Amino acid sequence: MRTETVPEELAGQRIDNYLLRVLKGVPRTRIYRLLRRGEVRVNGGRVRPTARLGAGDRVRIPPVREATGGETFKPSAQIMERLEAAILYEDERLLVIDKPSGLAVHGGSGIAYGVVEALRLMRPRAPFIDLVHRLDRETSGCLVLAKRRSTLRALHTEFREGRVDKRYLALVRGRFGANTRRVEARLRPETGKGGERIMRVHPDGQSARTDFRCLRSYDGWSLVEAVLHTGRMHQIRAHAAAIGHPVAMDRRYGSSTADREIRPLGLRRLFLHAANLGLEAPHCGRMDVAAPLPNDLAMLLERLADD
């Protein structure tokens, strides 16, 4: 049994995220089990995973086997090199990366590690690194992480109040009938056929707004810019499918028939990319960050244009 005292710089952090930091490499599911069974105590009492810590709180942690250098849940050197090369901006308070497609933003649900766990290993001297927002595993592009709790709180407010400019590029099925189209359709989470979580348009759902702008039309496909005004899970994918223009290679909301047509052109992943992000950082003012379209997606557009 060991007891940790929460330092000032980690005040305000959730207990589950704190444990993920101090118990290096322990799976998220194991940490939630420790909390659920009351094996972790804060100032002598049981706590929920969402409980937030204060400076000086005493956290009692039972013996747990942590990661060693050769275990499989540590990101490989190749993954960490790839993430290092993907950094678009970094200072003492903020980090923005061009997240690769196929890499989850955090571990859990059978995923050994994600971007945030890898970056914590890559920046061992940083007292705090946490996600400001999320991207789907198959979505590439701009992802923001905070290196200070105060920065995280400030940017959470920016995102929550809709002051962040979020622009995505997506290839969707069909020819867009108009240059621009606003979709305001409420989204509600449901359980899909395979038990996965999906979002459906429903009058009892949460408000959601996406503005689509057609950039170029191809034979049977359209490249669109999607501007998010809210941040619901799978929002662009669910809204695009709801208006009859599903995103290419979207296995959850898309058209398997259409995807079979485009697969021979070399597309192997969801065509959704967080291309531009603009926000007010509390310590340095306005920031506008751009992530170039990945080579595989750019080459696909060239092949479509040649057809």
Side-chain angles (χ1 to χ4, degrees):
M1 194 71 65
R2 76 194 222 214
T3 300
E4 302 275 348
T5 300
V6 179
E8 180 68 36
E9 62 267 21
L10 295 182
Q13 188 171 41
R14 284 173 38 155
I15 180 63
D16 54 353
N17 291 328
Y18 176 82
L19 292 172
L20 284 166
R21 169 178 292 277
V22 300
L23 298 176
K24 300 293 187 183
V26 175
R28 186 176 290 262
T29 52
R30 173 74 171 122
I31 283 172
Y32 280 107
R33 193 179 307 123
L34 292 172
L35 289 164
R36 190 167 58 250
R37 293 176 176 174
E39 295 180 63
V40 172
R41 300 287 177 122
V42 177
N43 300 325
R46 298 174 66 131
V47 290
R48 294 178 178 274
T50 54
R52 295 194 180 273
L53 299 169
D57 281 352
R58 294 179 62 78
V59 182
R60 192 191 73 181
I61 304 171
V64 181
R65 181 170 173 268
E66 300 181 34
T68 60
E71 291 182 292
T72 58
F73 46 74
K74 179 179 179 181
S76 66
Q78 290 83 359
I79 289 290
M80 291 197 280
E81 287 172 8
R82 190 177 179 191
L83 286 175
E84 192 71 51
I87 292 174
L88 299 171
Y89 176 84
E90 184 175 13
D91 61 25
E92 73 283 357
R93 291 181 174 271
L94 199 63
L95 196 156
V96 185
I97 73 161
D98 181 0
K99 186 189 84 66
S101 174
L103 187 59
V105 294
H106 60 70
S109 300
I111 299 171
Y113 64 86
V115 170
V116 68
E117 290 87 4
L119 287 171
R120 286 169 182 165
L121 288 173
M122 292 163 58
R123 299 290 185 270
R125 295 184 180 180
F128 177 89
I129 295 179
D130 210 350
L131 294 162
V132 174
H133 64 121
R134 286 168 168 75
L135 293 178
D136 297 340
R137 184 176 183 177
E138 296 305 317
T139 301
S140 54
C142 297
L143 179 69
V144 184
L145 300 99
K147 296 168 74 176
R148 295 287 189 278
R149 166 58 61 177
S150 58
T151 303
L152 181 67
R153 287 196 296 265
L155 291 179
H156 274 170
T157 300
E158 291 284 307
F159 274 83
R160 185 172 58 250
E161 297 184 358
R163 296 199 293 264
V164 179
D165 185 15
K166 297 169 284 184
R167 297 174 183 268
Y168 292 68
L169 294 176
L171 186 72
V172 299
R173 180 62 173 169
R175 183 178 290 270
F176 242 59
N179 287 334
T180 61
R181 184 166 181 180
R182 175 170 295 177
V183 180
E184 292 183 287
R186 291 178 172 271
L187 296 173
R188 186 176 75 170
E190 296 181 0
T191 301
K193 293 180 181 178
E196 75 279 8
R197 199 176 182 210
I198 58 175
M199 302 297 281
R200 295 292 190 204
V201 173
H202 194 279
D204 294 333
Q206 293 180 302
S207 62
R209 173 185 160 191
T210 310
D211 291 344
F212 292 97
R213 181 168 66 97
C214 184
L215 302 177
R216 182 169 181 179
S217 293
Y218 304 93
D219 183 17
W221 299 90
S222 296
L223 179 67
V224 300
E225 178 188 67
V227 180
L228 280 179
H229 294 275
T230 49
R232 309 305 176 203
M233 185 181 79
H234 300 169
Q235 180 176 318
I236 293 172
R237 299 162 63 185
H239 274 175
I243 62 173
H245 295 284
V247 178
M249 294 299 290
D250 190 339
R251 295 174 177 84
R252 197 166 295 193
Y253 300 91
S255 165
S256 57
T257 301
D259 290 343
R260 279 196 295 271
E261 295 176 10
I262 201 168
R263 195 176 289 113
L265 295 179
L267 186 61
R268 297 290 183 269
R269 51 156 288 198
L270 178 76
F271 197 125
L272 184 60
H273 178 69
N276 299 91
L277 193 69
L279 54 81
E280 287 288 335
H283 63 293
C284 63
R286 180 70 183 180
M287 287 183 56
D288 291 284
V289 185
L293 198 65
N295 288 338
D296 58 339
L297 302 188
M299 291 176 62
L300 174 77
L301 294 181
E302 291 179 7
R303 294 187 188 107
L304 285 171
D306 291 339
D307 281 357

